[in-house]
Amino acid sequence: MEGWRLVNVQGMTAIVVGGASGMGRATAVRLSQLGAKVAILDLPTSDGSSVAKELGGAFHPCDVMDVEGAEQALQAAVNDLGGLHIAVNTAGGGTSKRTLSKSGPHPLDAFRSVIDLNLVGTFNLNRLQAWHMSHNGPLDGERGVIINTASIAAFEGQIGQVAYTAAKAGIAGMALTMARDLGSLGIRVMAIAPSLFATGITSAIPEDMAATLTRDAAYPRRMGRPEEYAGLAIAIVENQMLNGGTIRLDGGQRFAPK
């Protein structure tokens, strides 16, 4: 259509939470390569400082479980950047516990902890990121893009993933409602639901074990690569019609019960 164009990332400001490694790092690198000004938020013990230095950006230590600390880190990052147009949130994690096992019912504290880390931590960041974005002048009607990280476990969680599934399903579930909440401000919200990706401890999984874990995929039957997550994140930023949804990034895989 005449006059249509992709959103240009050049000159935008971006915060990547969990940007010191894995999918977050790959996304931060790609954003920087495209000309965005990037800030990294990650745990104080992470490699965030060296990654930020490599990208010519800033690192702000952040534990998403510390609500007030996360708010302060985000504010400091926005101050450094001079605004916020793009927010990519990849921090999270889980535990393996059944609803009922030989040792008894699932510990409630463990369930709450996974929900707090993944869902509450993500929403806390989202509400603050949206607030900062709301102060931007509109560019082609748009003030910002928020990208969250769910998981295909949100749709077919495996045995022992009940807490993680609940948390990631919450992230997927709030994408449309949040997009509707923020639509009048020109702020988009999307979620990416990856399958098993080669990040962190999973990057050390032997090839034969990785082949077993991904045998249910259609193609390719391998773990995802952080750069593939980054590529989708950039596509979301560039295409304004991507809003309010969750995109599976899984090679056609559906998790088996175990």
Side-chain angles (χ1 to χ4, degrees):
M1 181 176 179
E2 186 177 352
W4 181 86
R5 60 182 175 79
L6 291 173
V7 174
N8 188 357
V9 177
Q10 176 76 38
M12 287 190 174
T13 54
I15 288 175
V16 182
V17 182
S21 62
M23 296 180 292
R25 184 185 187 281
T27 304
V29 168
R30 189 69 186 122
L31 284 165
S32 180
Q33 290 172 342
L34 291 172
K37 187 177 179 183
V38 182
I40 303 292
L41 270 64
D42 213 317
L43 291 169
T45 54
S46 72
D47 292 330
S49 181
S50 59
V51 173
K53 185 176 180 180
E54 175 187 330
L55 302 180
F59 170 60
H60 298 273
C62 174
D63 181 350
V64 299
M65 294 285 278
D66 177 1
V67 173
E68 292 183 1
E71 184 170 358
Q72 292 168 1
L74 187 64
Q75 181 67 62
V78 172
N79 290 343
D80 276 351
L81 293 169
L84 179 61
H85 299 105
I86 303 165
V88 182
N89 304 292
T90 67
T95 185
S96 178
K97 293 183 184 298
R98 297 188 182 210
T99 304
L100 188 63
S101 65
K102 291 179 180 179
S103 60
H106 192 303
L108 194 55
D109 285 347
F111 186 90
R112 282 194 178 119
S113 180
V114 174
I115 297 296
D116 282 344
L117 171 60
N118 293 276
L119 183 56
V120 178
T122 295
F123 179 74
N124 180 46
L125 291 166
N126 289 169
R127 69 188 184 92
L128 301 170
Q129 292 160 349
W131 170 250
H132 290 296
M133 289 174 180
S134 72
H135 294 89
N136 295 335
L139 180 61
D140 195 16
E142 185 165 289
R143 287 185 169 88
V145 184
I146 295 171
I147 301 172
N148 293 326
T149 306
S151 164
I152 65 170
F155 311 108
E156 58 269 344
Q158 295 182 300
I159 290 171
Q161 285 189 322
V162 63
Y164 187 70
T165 290
K168 293 301 188 179
I171 290 174
M174 70 182 179
L176 178 58
T177 304
M178 195 184 302
R180 287 173 166 172
D181 282 350
L182 302 174
S184 62
L185 296 170
I187 297 172
R188 293 187 287 122
V189 181
M190 285 289 291
I192 297 174
S195 55
L196 186 65
F197 267 58
T199 63
I201 58 173
T202 61
S203 61
I205 291 177
E207 286 189 17
D208 57 342
M209 185 181 295
T212 300
L213 293 171
T214 58
R215 66 184 182 277
D216 296 322
Y219 177 84
R221 290 176 182 169
R222 59 167 172 78
M223 291 193 291
R225 296 164 182 155
E227 294 77 16
E228 291 167 326
Y229 178 100
L232 180 53
I234 296 301
I236 290 171
V237 172
E238 291 181 331
N239 194 328
Q240 287 189 327
M241 287 301 288
L242 290 172
N243 191 20
T246 299
I247 300 176
R248 296 180 66 119
L249 189 63
D250 59 13
Q253 182 170 13
R254 302 294 182 269
F255 280 154
K258 60 181 180 179

